[in-house]
Amino acid sequence: MNENATAGPDAQSALCRVFLVDDHAVFRSGVRAELANEPGLHVVGEAGTVADSITAITRLRPDVVLLDVHMPAGGGVSVLRGVTETLGDDAPVFLALSVSDAAEDVIATIRAGARGYVTKTIDGRELADAVRRVADGDAVFSPRLAGFVLDSFTGKSSVPEPALDPELDSLTRRELEVLRLLARGYTYREIAEELFISIKTVETHASNVLRKTQQSNRNALTRWAATRHIG
């Protein structure tokens, strides 16, 4: 993760503060260079993984996040949801910047809360303009992508609703509580003390969680939970 904020406090207050999320460092460098000389914009940080992105965005509080859609461990939608769950109404505006122009990617990202979606064929000046526009409250889309969104929200889209998470949805409330504590590294004894239940009951819940999530052991379960920001 690389975070930079070189402008002074007075200068930054007048700027639109931008954060870059993309798992390709070379692409992030290119975007940073494109935006460097654009008036009113300042790149305050960048990250290449879902976890690093959520951590840095919630700390730096940028105005706009340029968000890659396809990334390991859940992609841009996971970043968006993770930040929104943490910051709520204080979350930044998200503008998807993706190589994909597939209807399912556009619709899933907008349904998750992004304010716009542009493809990586956009030039630097157009991208800067798109950032300014979403910061001002507009919705911005590359040509033809807006039609996907309009069709989706008017019920005319042939793209199915985003898939649910059947394994996660199958867990009971208590099993989900046990899962969260397991993901945080709690021992069975510590979970029992936290939830005021017996160690044997914890073991039963943990066994059910492993079975329902189709994970073979606790390490695999922890990784599975991390991709869903459970913990």
Side-chain angles (χ1 to χ4, degrees):
M1 179 172 57
N2 179 26
E3 301 162 9
N4 297 303
T6 56
D10 293 338
Q12 283 197 46
S13 64
L15 295 175
C16 175
R17 304 171 69 251
V18 183
F19 191 94
L20 311 178
V21 175
D22 196 288
D23 60 341
H24 292 93
V26 173
F27 182 78
R28 295 198 308 269
S29 297
V31 172
R32 183 184 284 273
E34 289 283 358
L35 298 182
N37 297 318
E38 288 289 339
L41 302 182
H42 179 61
V43 177
V44 296
E46 61 182 64
T49 69
V50 169
D52 284 349
S53 298
I54 294 171
T55 299
I57 293 168
T58 54
R59 182 172 65 82
L60 293 173
R61 307 291 182 92
D63 301 302
V64 176
V65 175
L66 284 176
L67 184 67
D68 189 19
V69 172
H70 291 292
M71 299 169 61
V77 168
S78 290
V79 175
L80 200 160
R81 288 175 175 163
V83 171
T84 302
E85 288 172 2
T86 301
L87 297 182
D89 292 340
D90 294 325
V93 176
F94 286 83
L95 174 62
L97 177 60
S98 176
V99 69
S100 171
D101 63 357
E104 56 267 31
D105 289 333
V106 178
I107 293 171
T109 306
I110 298 303
R111 282 176 177 161
R115 188 66 185 171
Y117 194 115
V118 295
T119 62
K120 290 182 177 180
T121 57
I122 195 171
D123 66 33
R125 182 161 297 180
E126 291 173 334
L127 178 59
D129 181 61
V131 170
R132 296 187 188 100
R133 287 174 60 192
V134 296
D136 288 339
D138 290 342
V140 179
F141 298 92
S142 290
R144 94 182 183 90
L145 301 188
F148 295 154
V149 180
L150 181 61
D151 287 346
S152 173
F153 285 94
T154 57
K156 297 178 180 179
S157 175
S158 60
V159 178
E161 291 285 328
L164 299 176
D165 194 327
E167 291 89 359
L168 188 59
D169 292 341
S170 70
L171 299 180
T172 66
R173 181 183 61 82
R174 182 63 90 186
E175 288 167 352
L176 186 57
E177 289 174 340
V178 170
L179 171 60
R180 292 185 189 280
L181 295 175
L182 286 171
R184 294 174 188 172
Y186 281 51
T187 66
Y188 285 173
R189 181 177 297 279
E190 289 169 334
I191 294 173
E193 293 173 353
E194 181 77 14
L195 299 180
F196 301 101
I197 56 179
S198 70
I199 295 176
K200 182 65 175 177
T201 301
V202 173
E203 291 174 347
T204 299
H205 287 314
S207 177
N208 289 339
V209 169
L210 287 169
R211 175 177 54 81
K212 289 182 178 181
T213 60
Q214 302 180 52
Q215 303 304 307
S216 58
N217 54 55
R218 181 168 177 170
N219 289 336
L221 180 65
T222 300
R223 291 192 296 271
W224 182 91
T227 65
R228 289 157 173 80
H229 307 293
I230 297 170

